[in-house]
Amino acid sequence: MIIRAATINDLDGVWEIFEKVIKSGDTYAFDPNTPQEDLSKLWFAPTMNVYVAEEDHKILGTYFIKPNQVGLGAHIANCGYMVHPETRGRGLGKQLCEHSLLIAKEMGYKGIQFNFVVSTNTTAVKLWEKLGFSIIGTIPNGFNHQQLGYVDAYIMFRAID
């Protein structure tokens, strides 16, 4: 498996993951009915650098990295990660995050902030904590979970060494 910069040719492969992940309505704030034509502005916006994990010409996961804020806050990155449901449990999320930490350092970022980690997504929360991220804030009832109703969302941060 390789992790590489995404190209416009990867849109369909990323969409396959994006659509499956958001349909469940349990981990991302994106509308579960987001149309494919919105992917380019939601995951491939001009301010984002997008990467894909590829194996045997199939995209297994993806992430973006971008400035969390403009101007005087642009030294902190923001990232989003998605893994194809069929590839969960293989450590791909960890590999994508570790790759993003290297890219963030290369790009000169001083830290990475996750603005919105759904509290009930315990697999992600545990992974981010294992990789050195800390919960620095809680948004009470910040996420409308499609099965559980309103649940908290976390803000998580890690400094870049």
Side-chain angles (χ1 to χ4, degrees):
M1 187 205 55
I2 62 164
I3 300 175
R4 61 169 176 78
T7 71
I8 197 74
N9 296 327
D10 296 319
L11 277 171
D12 287 340
V14 171
W15 172 251
E16 182 180 336
I17 296 167
F18 186 90
E19 180 184 34
K20 287 179 183 351
V21 169
I22 68 167
K23 275 284 184 219
S24 62
D26 61 356
T27 58
Y28 269 90
F30 297 117
D31 181 338
N33 298 310
T34 297
Q36 185 171 0
E37 56 268 16
D38 286 359
L39 181 65
S40 60
K41 67 182 175 191
L42 296 174
W43 204 262
F44 284 84
T47 59
M48 297 174 165
N49 290 302
V50 180
Y51 294 84
V52 294
E54 182 181 55
E55 184 176 79
D56 298 325
H57 306 289
K58 179 166 176 58
I59 296 175
L60 308 179
T62 181
Y63 79 88
F64 68 77
I65 184 169
K66 66 176 185 171
N68 193 50
Q69 298 292 327
V70 297
L72 300 179
H75 60 285
I76 304 296
N78 175 255
C79 297
Y81 310 84
M82 288 188 178
V83 173
H84 197 292
E86 293 171 10
T87 63
R88 288 191 183 135
R90 292 180 43 183
L92 187 55
K94 180 179 186 236
Q95 291 175 59
L96 290 171
C97 187
E98 289 173 337
H99 188 270
S100 71
L101 289 166
L102 294 172
I103 294 297
K105 187 172 186 171
E106 286 176 13
M107 296 175 80
Y109 287 112
K110 303 300 182 198
I112 295 178
Q113 179 174 313
F114 302 148
N115 297 324
F116 204 84
V117 181
V118 178
S119 63
T120 55
N121 188 357
T122 55
T123 301
V125 173
K126 286 178 187 174
L127 175 59
W128 304 148
E129 289 178 330
K130 183 177 177 181
L131 292 170
F133 288 83
S134 298
I135 296 170
I136 61 168
T138 300
I139 305 164
N141 295 320
F143 181 72
N144 187 5
H145 192 288
Q146 295 302 284
Q147 287 79 42
L148 304 175
Y150 294 105
V151 299
D152 294 348
Y154 298 137
I155 302 165
M156 300 185 77
F157 178 79
R158 178 191 160 161
I160 302 293
D161 307 337

